[in-house]
Amino acid sequence: MIKKRTLSRIISVMIIAVILFQISCKPETPTDLTKENVIPKPLTVAATGDYFCLGKKASIYIQEETDELKSIAEYLAGRLRPATGFPLEIKAVSGTPGKGNIYLTLSGADASLGDEGYSLTITKKLVTIAANKSAGLFNGIQTLRQLLPANIEMSSVQDLDWHIPGGTITDYPAYNYRGVMLDVTRHFFTVEEVKRVIDLVSVYKINHLHLHLSDDQGWRVEIKSWPNLALYGGKTEVGGGVGGSYTQEQYGELVKYADAHFVTIVPEIDMPGHTNAALASYPDLNISGKATELYTGTEVGFSTLATKKEITYKFVEDVFRELASMTSGPYLHIGGDESHVTKKEDYIPFVERVQDIVIKLGKTPIGWDEISLGKLRPGSVAQYWSSAENANKAVSQGAKLLMSPASRAYIDMKYDSTTAIGYTWAGLIEVDKAYNWDPATLEPGIGRENIIGIEAALWTETITNMEEIEFLTFPRLPGLAEVGWSHSSLRNWDEYKIRLGNHAKRFNALEINYYPSKLVPWVE
Ligand code: TNX
């Protein structure tokens, strides 16, 4: 027999325990999943009004112990452990996991979610991300990060309640290709800096990183069969600084890192123009047979490969063969822009032959819109940046377009006349201008069916360090990411700017040096 006094003690301990549990998981404000500030905006959101609390006993469950699921769970744990301080063990489970956990599963998702879509279900008991492919789980994880308090992005332990509003999100992208281009030629950026770019853009579901690896001012990747390209052609950069290049080992490390973030690297070797670094490294590539000087200025359009020499095609083949062997994705970018000193009758057969070389290597050629002056091979993609006429030529040949209209997507343009870095040739691009456009209606004759996606381009003539990369990229990139991900009927600047304003706390937690545009109601 339990004594009355003992019984009442047990009851009061239980009541206190219940109260404590509630306090430790009590939201300060009512929770409504539909009022959250997710960027890019998800397709459908339904709220239940309750919430999930991530506690220190939570584990991350996966439906089976595959390397694929383990590594994505490890990624999620890596994002959540520093700020929560929780162990967040990873465990396999058959059936549904118990209360208080996160569950990642590749079964049960709707086929209509495709390869990149996901459903995220938040109940009081469990957070479940379901997808058809791990890319979808990764995207669901990015949404989950944004539903947690912004301090989840801090690198030290935060004393906070980790609430997530209840409900269900189902989401998939409007376009399969959502990219950012980084020019590592005009100024060189290290492996660590490029990794940080990958970290920051993948938050916004960007899934391609186009690396502009060669230009007049520098050659940035080791090619073993043509060693002087990196050794000599990589020596300097705009302004005469020391430049640099990636060894093949370092480049491979970047590809691996990007792959783990579901970002496909698209390497570009720009040709036949924008080739001074190569022309300075190998005399044979020049029409004159004489090597040029290294170049540290910012002019464009003055250089050309000798398109009539066979050695040039040996060079192209060797370079692309080595690059292809280090490339996990389908694309090799062949450049093709601003070849102002290549005669048109030489330019056309050149870009046609280079496409054939890329295709023979089992890869898909992409080139700037000028390549549509020649015959585009089936599958080749033209990247629209300035000429609607060229873009239409590509479409009339049945080719697909990657949309990078300079007046919207060139994030090396200044925000306004007071921006200290950046160019103005494509106009000033305030945050609303980068957001307020629809790839499918931008140019007459170019519709959704012609477009694989969008890409923001960051040229670096005026950019010398990571802080400057961040300043021009944020906050325009989240908006461009939404242009690529969210269906256009869901997009609206006045609603978007409120969501964006709420990302200031996340930018701060991630230590992003962003431009605090006056058009955005920042909530710090
Ligand atoms: C044009 S865009 C270029 C680049 C420059 C950029 C500067 C393109 C295909 N070519 O070479 O870096 O403008 O904004």
Side-chain angles (χ1 to χ4, degrees):
M1 258 272 294
I2 303 173
K3 278 194 200 142
K4 232 179 161 182
R5 253 185 47 209
T6 322
L7 189 66
S8 71
R9 258 195 213 146
I10 291 172
I11 290 171
S12 37
V13 166
M14 282 170 71
I15 290 171
I16 290 168
V18 167
I19 291 172
L20 275 179
F21 177 76
Q22 291 208 325
I23 288 174
S24 74
C25 268
K26 193 147 201 140
E28 297 112 42
T29 46
T31 65
D32 181 348
L33 188 61
T34 64
K35 303 236 157 67
E36 290 295 316
N37 300 298
V38 178
I39 299 174
K41 193 177 176 68
L43 190 58
T44 69
V45 182
T48 51
D50 57 20
Y51 64 92
F52 174 87
C53 177
L54 185 71
K56 65 171 182 290
K57 293 216 171 107
S59 297
I60 298 174
Y61 281 90
I62 48 180
Q63 130 238 14
E64 51 180 327
E65 194 130 358
T66 60
D67 287 347
E68 190 185 8
L69 279 170
K70 271 196 294 192
S71 80
I72 194 140
E74 220 20 273
Y75 167 83
L76 172 59
R79 302 272 59 75
L80 305 182
R81 277 177 193 143
T84 60
F86 302 158
L88 294 164
E89 269 181 71
I90 293 154
K91 300 172 184 168
V93 66
S94 56
T96 315
K99 262 165 85 171
N101 298 302
I102 299 177
Y103 181 42
L104 306 177
T105 175
L106 286 172
S107 60
D110 201 289
S112 66
L113 296 176
D115 288 356
E116 283 201 282
Y118 64 91
S119 73
L120 170 58
T121 309
I122 303 133
T123 67
K124 258 189 190 144
K125 292 184 178 163
L126 193 67
V127 171
T128 307
I129 304 178
N132 296 312
K133 293 275 163 66
S134 40
L137 292 179
F138 186 84
N139 288 325
I141 287 171
Q142 303 316 317
T143 300
L144 179 61
R145 280 171 84 175
Q146 294 189 23
L147 295 175
L148 281 157
N151 277 5
I152 195 67
E153 303 300 343
M154 303 283 279
S155 50
S156 60
V157 176
Q158 307 292 303
D159 185 19
L160 266 189
D161 290 337
W162 303 104
H163 296 124
I164 308 166
T168 299
I169 293 179
T170 42
D171 198 12
Y172 58 83
Y175 294 100
N176 292 333
Y177 188 120
R178 302 167 310 277
V180 63
M181 188 213 76
L182 179 65
D183 170 9
V184 296
T185 68
R186 273 52 178 272
H187 285 95
F188 181 65
F189 297 95
T190 63
V191 169
E192 286 316 306
E193 288 169 322
V194 178
K195 283 184 179 172
R196 178 159 164 88
V197 169
I198 293 169
D199 287 343
L200 298 183
V201 302
S202 58
V203 174
Y204 296 100
K205 303 186 176 82
I206 290 291
N207 65 356
H208 288 79
L209 173 65
H210 167 181
L211 288 177
H212 185 72
L213 290 169
S214 70
D215 211 303
D216 294 318
Q217 298 87 346
W219 187 283
R220 306 301 182 204
V221 63
E222 176 190 18
I223 301 296
K224 293 196 196 279
S225 54
W226 296 72
N228 287 349
L229 292 170
L231 287 177
Y232 184 71
K235 260 184 187 309
T236 189
E237 61 182 11
V238 165
V242 289
S245 58
Y246 310 118
T247 63
Q248 292 205 351
E249 213 171 32
Q250 288 173 321
Y251 189 81
E253 184 187 328
L254 271 181
V255 171
K256 215 172 128 198
Y257 191 82
D259 283 345
H261 291 74
F262 296 86
V263 169
T264 302
I265 292 197
V266 180
E268 177 186 354
I269 300 297
D270 203 348
M271 58 182 75
H274 289 275
T275 41
N276 186 71
L279 298 169
S281 308
Y282 287 98
D284 283 351
L285 299 175
N286 290 268
I287 297 171
S288 67
K290 276 199 246 135
T292 58
E293 301 275 298
L294 291 173
Y295 180 69
T296 60
T298 57
E299 294 294 309
V300 294
F302 61 85
S303 55
T304 185
L305 292 172
T307 56
K308 289 194 171 117
K309 287 186 175 174
E310 262 324 286
I311 182 90
T312 296
Y313 298 93
K314 165 115 179 61
F315 160 82
V316 172
E317 247 183 82
D318 288 343
V319 168
F320 278 134
R321 187 184 356 89
E322 290 193 33
L323 258 187
S325 75
M326 297 188 283
T327 297
S328 59
Y331 300 115
L332 293 180
H333 201 301
I334 64 174
D337 59 313
E338 300 173 319
S339 286
H340 301 323
V341 296
T342 319
K343 288 194 196 112
K344 199 171 167 190
E345 67 261 31
D346 297 335
Y347 176 86
I348 289 173
F350 177 84
V351 291
E352 290 175 351
R353 192 162 164 190
V354 171
Q355 289 177 73
D356 292 336
I357 290 171
V358 168
I359 291 166
K360 229 174 115 190
L361 291 165
K363 296 292 185 187
T364 303
I366 303 194
W368 298 106
D369 59 46
E370 288 96 320
I371 67 164
S372 66
L373 295 171
K375 278 214 181 64
L376 293 175
R377 302 311 190 217
S380 287
V381 174
Q383 185 166 11
Y384 168 52
W385 66 284
S386 79
S387 166
E389 195 187 328
N390 287 343
N392 269 295
K393 275 202 181 99
V395 166
S396 68
Q397 297 190 53
K400 299 269 192 237
L401 296 173
L402 175 59
M403 300 294 281
S404 299
S407 61
R408 307 284 181 164
Y410 268 31
I411 55 175
D412 64 321
M413 295 300 126
K414 290 177 188 287
Y415 291 98
D416 68 16
S417 59
T418 69
T419 310
I421 47 175
Y423 274 168
T424 57
W425 68 262
L428 299 170
I429 308 184
E430 246 300 353
V431 184
D432 60 342
K433 194 163 183 214
Y435 179 81
N436 251 331
W437 62 286
D438 179 358
T441 57
L442 186 74
E443 294 291 354
I446 299 170
R448 242 210 88 127
E449 65 285 4
N450 310 120
I451 297 170
I452 62 166
I454 66 117
E455 186 167 277
L458 186 61
W459 302 97
T460 58
E461 286 93 338
T462 67
I463 299 169
T464 59
N465 59 43
M466 194 68 210
E467 288 70 46
E468 291 171 351
I469 289 181
E470 290 174 17
F471 189 77
L472 290 181
T473 304
F474 289 89
R476 284 182 290 205
L477 183 90
L480 288 159
E482 183 156 308
V483 172
W485 178 280
S486 305
H487 301 257
S488 60
S489 59
L490 293 177
R491 295 200 292 107
N492 169 298
W493 165 255
D494 285 319
E495 183 270 338
Y496 170 71
K497 72 180 180 192
I498 311 283
R499 273 184 290 129
L500 179 60
N502 278 286
H503 277 239
K505 289 173 278 186
R506 285 172 203 280
F507 296 161
N508 291 337
L510 290 165
E511 298 178 35
I512 296 174
N513 177 39
Y514 69 99
Y515 162 65
S517 168
K518 290 201 180 67
L519 304 181
V520 179
W522 300 107
V523 182
E524 299 250 4

